[in-house]
Amino acid sequence: MKRRDFLRLGVLGATGAILGRVDLAGAAKKASGPLPFPAPVYRTLGRTGLKITVVSFGAMLTPEPEVIRTALDHGVNYIDTARAYMGGRNEEVVAKAIKGIRNKVHVATKIRSRSRTKEAMIGDVETSLRALETDYIDVIQLHSLTGRERIFEPEMRETLLLLRRQGKVRFFGVTTHTNEAEVVNALVDDPDRFFDMALVKYNFRSGKDMKKAIARAAQAGIGIVAMKTQAGGYTTDALGPISPHQAALKWALSDRNVTAAVPGMRDMAELREDIAVMGMRLTLADSLILRCYGAAVATRYCHFCGKCEETCPRGVAISVVNRSLMYAEAYGNPELACATYGGIPPQASAAACLGCGRCTARCVNGLDIAEKMGRARVLLA
């Protein structure tokens, strides 16, 4: 943001709700008007050379293939899915959406985080190929890395290279929600530059360390795809009728080191809202909207940084528990929430908190961890 815009934003904040509501009302009026599909905008996914739409399709929450197909018919050409989504059904939804146009679409899916052996990884890829009804996967990703260790595992690398030689996968990637700056920096520091891209949590609440890691990755030819761009997408009354989603998406794409974003789109309304962002620029009004939204969800949104886990004597996977809660409370998806929570080893679940008389874990962003763990036990156990 230019200094002049920063000062203007400061003035708006200082003068309070009146000026803010003038801008917000104008944005609301614009959002309620016609919203035609824009011309596709493309960026290149690092050294893969794939030219993909800046707003691509996150299929995780999409139950109807027609929604995905509509996006593809309007130029979207990259779909992100996973073996784990919808209990394995999500890849079948994607298969129906790409039927007859497979050669026009790039498909990214994931090997489950618990599949660590050669046999398990090959089994996941073979299952995905059958579910997707395709002969190859464009980008195969290791799902949900939380640190640098797995990036350098020899058996994993040998297995991925075998799958590439067999023509079953084209490019390699990782995904990360927790400790993502360390993961991305490890990809850059890898002397072999084994991985071609990373799918990372990145939004207007992300820190400078993540922005710097993304810049390093882009400079190294590693493509970056952003997810969780809506910072949870929590419902709030703070913005009246205004949705912060377009502003949040524009914020992520305003970083030119980000190739694309894959917002989850459940229906046609969400598709139209998100796809309209292609070609739009982040404005001062967007920044104001995000500031209001960020303040409204500050007591609910977890950054998944994992720093609190260093202060937990029981080793509870607090960031994953909080991500599960987000899926339940913000996404409204109990199936995904319970599946994510169910992947936590019992000794690291919120139930382990019952062994402590008083919670000593501390959140650097001020979240009430004890209260969130208690809610997780009620909703997800």
Side-chain angles (χ1 to χ4, degrees):
M1 182 184 297
K2 295 179 180 178
R3 182 174 183 274
R4 182 176 58 185
D5 288 344
F6 175 80
L7 291 174
R8 287 180 60 198
L9 184 60
V11 170
L12 286 175
T15 52
I18 297 177
L19 283 177
R21 290 193 181 282
V22 169
D23 280 352
L24 298 182
K29 184 178 180 181
K30 185 177 181 181
S32 63
L35 200 59
F37 288 103
V41 177
Y42 301 93
R43 292 179 187 170
T44 302
L45 184 63
R47 59 173 170 264
T48 71
L50 300 179
K51 295 188 182 303
I52 66 175
T53 41
V54 294
V55 178
S56 288
F57 206 105
M60 180 174 71
L61 306 172
T62 314
E64 302 296 338
E66 290 77 11
V67 179
I68 303 174
R69 186 58 176 246
T70 299
L72 302 180
D73 289 343
H74 287 83
V76 172
N77 69 346
Y78 185 91
I79 305 172
D80 182 81
T81 180
R83 196 78 287 288
Y85 297 163
M86 294 182 174
R89 302 189 308 279
N90 192 249
E91 290 176 331
E92 297 171 9
V93 173
V94 172
K96 293 176 182 175
I98 65 175
K99 199 173 187 62
I101 57 170
R102 174 66 182 93
N103 62 336
K104 298 179 179 178
V105 182
H106 305 302
V107 177
T109 190
K110 308 176 186 77
I111 292 172
R112 296 174 299 176
S113 55
R114 68 170 182 261
S115 297
R116 306 295 290 266
T117 65
K118 175 181 178 181
E119 291 73 19
M121 291 176 65
I122 291 176
D124 275 6
V125 170
E126 295 286 0
T127 304
S128 290
L129 289 171
R130 286 194 297 273
L132 289 164
E133 299 181 32
T134 185
D135 297 326
Y136 65 95
I137 294 163
D138 293 286
V139 182
I140 189 69
Q141 302 160 111
L142 303 181
H143 203 166
S144 201
L145 270 59
T146 59
R148 58 184 290 121
E149 293 78 13
R150 197 175 181 211
I151 291 170
F152 300 97
E153 291 178 357
E155 183 178 3
M156 173 273 294
R157 292 191 175 200
E158 291 170 7
T159 304
L160 290 180
L161 290 172
L162 173 63
L163 290 164
R164 176 183 279 170
R165 287 196 299 272
Q166 293 174 339
K168 295 175 179 176
V169 303
R170 298 179 64 196
F171 302 106
F172 306 146
V174 304
T175 78
T176 175
H177 310 85
T178 300
N179 206 12
E180 56 267 27
E182 177 182 310
V183 173
V184 172
N185 280 322
L187 300 182
V188 178
D189 296 336
D190 173 16
D192 297 327
R193 294 284 167 82
F194 186 83
F195 288 95
D196 305 298
M197 61 80 67
L199 172 63
V200 301
K201 174 177 67 66
Y202 188 52
N203 59 53
F204 64 98
R205 301 297 303 273
S206 296
K208 292 180 181 178
D209 59 338
M210 192 56 203
K211 188 175 183 64
K212 184 178 178 182
I214 286 174
R216 289 188 72 217
Q219 191 171 16
I222 298 170
I224 294 293
V225 177
M227 63 173 169
K228 304 288 188 290
T229 55
Q230 313 295 327
Y234 289 94
T235 300
T236 173
D237 296 329
L239 294 171
I242 293 176
S243 163
H245 296 167
Q246 286 194 342
L249 200 48
K250 282 189 272 184
W251 184 93
L253 294 174
S254 68
D255 187 337
R256 296 291 298 184
N257 292 315
V258 172
T259 304
V262 285
M265 295 177 267
R266 286 169 287 201
D267 52 36
M268 293 295 183
E270 292 183 355
L271 168 63
R272 288 169 62 83
E273 181 177 21
D274 289 340
I275 202 171
V277 168
M278 278 199 279
M280 288 185 178
R281 299 175 67 89
L282 184 71
T283 66
L284 183 62
D286 292 324
S287 298
L288 181 60
I289 289 170
L290 293 179
R291 192 166 76 170
C292 292
Y293 174 66
V297 303
T299 59
R300 289 181 280 174
Y301 177 68
C302 173
H303 292 244
F304 312 135
C305 65
K307 293 178 181 175
C308 57
E309 295 170 7
E310 300 170 3
T311 63
C312 174
R314 298 279 174 173
V316 173
I318 298 171
S319 61
V320 184
V321 175
N322 281 341
R323 182 155 57 89
S324 305
L325 268 180
M326 183 182 74
Y327 291 152
E329 298 177 333
Y331 288 29
N333 192 320
E335 181 183 27
L336 178 62
C338 290
T340 304
Y341 189 74
I344 303 172
Q347 67 274 18
S349 74
C353 298
L354 297 174
C356 285
R358 183 176 63 87
C359 183
T360 58
R362 292 292 175 265
C363 172
V364 296
N365 295 300
L367 293 183
D368 187 338
I369 294 174
E371 191 275 335
K372 284 179 109 35
M373 296 303 103
R375 209 160 66 243
R377 288 194 296 274
V378 172
L379 292 177
L380 306 173

